[in-house]
Amino acid sequence: MSSSLKNLSDFHSADLPDASGMHFSIVVSKWNAEVTESMFEAASEILKKSGCSENNIFRIDVPGSFEIPFGAKLALENQKTDAVLCIGCVIQGETRHFDFICHPLSSALMQLGLEYNKPVIFGILTTENLQQAIDRSGGKHGNKGIEAAVTAIQMVNLKKQLERK
């Protein structure tokens, strides 16, 4: 089904594990702040509604999306965290800047998760224009921040379940 026809952030809260006792770091790009702030607020709200204490949610601001992996690494090394949610927005624009940012960004975040054995969640919008970003940060297609929080909770829960066995 085309994304133009639905809210991409729909989920059933009853299916979400309890996040009580979980710790989350959220790395937020300040670039495209209108978009990233909405995503941060949505992610934080889902974490709290799922039982995570506000005291267990740590925010780290970075200048832009390219700096998110370093912020995530700092969180993994210096904070008590079960998962890192990475919130950013890269808009295509007219130059190749988009290409030079997106691929290394996604590769670095995946590598950090594997290196530190903790979920590092890709909550980065990679859109063609600002309207698409707005539509995915609280607009007609939902909010990628919600999806990042849901994914983080599910992955922390999965890790805990498998480590118990």
Side-chain angles (χ1 to χ4, degrees):
M1 175 183 282
S2 171
S3 65
S4 65
L5 302 177
K6 66 179 183 175
N7 177 342
L8 302 173
S9 303
D10 280 343
F11 74 100
H12 299 287
S13 59
D15 297 335
L16 204 55
D18 181 13
S20 299
M22 294 180 183
H23 295 78
F24 298 96
S25 298
I26 306 177
V27 181
V28 183
S29 168
K30 295 176 86 175
W31 195 260
N32 293 313
E34 169 189 359
V35 172
T36 60
E37 283 302 314
S38 176
M39 293 167 60
F40 169 76
E41 291 298 329
S44 297
E45 191 62 30
I46 292 298
L47 294 174
K48 289 185 272 189
K49 283 183 179 178
S50 299
C52 181
S53 166
E54 189 166 352
N55 293 331
N56 291 349
I57 300 171
F58 309 99
R59 179 179 173 144
I60 298 172
D61 289 321
V62 295
S65 290
F66 194 74
E67 293 75 32
I68 289 174
F70 188 68
K73 182 176 172 98
L74 291 173
L76 290 162
E77 290 177 346
N78 299 298
Q79 294 182 318
K80 180 179 180 180
T81 191
D82 294 306
V84 179
L85 291 76
C86 300
I87 304 291
C89 175
V90 184
I91 298 173
Q92 177 69 48
E94 298 177 4
T95 67
R96 294 189 54 213
H97 179 259
F98 182 85
D99 300 322
F100 292 115
I101 298 295
C102 295
H103 180 71
L105 173 60
S106 63
S107 294
L109 295 179
M110 181 184 66
Q111 187 59 42
L112 281 172
L114 296 172
E115 180 181 338
Y116 286 89
N117 195 32
K118 291 188 179 182
V120 176
I121 308 304
F122 189 87
I124 317 279
L125 292 175
T126 55
T127 63
E128 294 176 4
N129 55 57
L130 179 59
Q131 187 58 54
Q132 287 179 346
I134 291 168
D135 289 345
R136 288 160 177 79
S137 62
K140 67 182 178 180
H141 294 309
N143 192 310
K144 187 73 170 173
I146 292 171
E147 296 172 46
V150 167
T151 301
I153 294 167
Q154 291 172 333
M155 291 304 293
V156 169
N157 186 62
L158 174 64
K159 185 175 187 272
K160 287 181 180 202
Q161 285 180 343
L162 292 175
E163 287 176 342
R164 284 186 209 124
K165 292 184 178 189

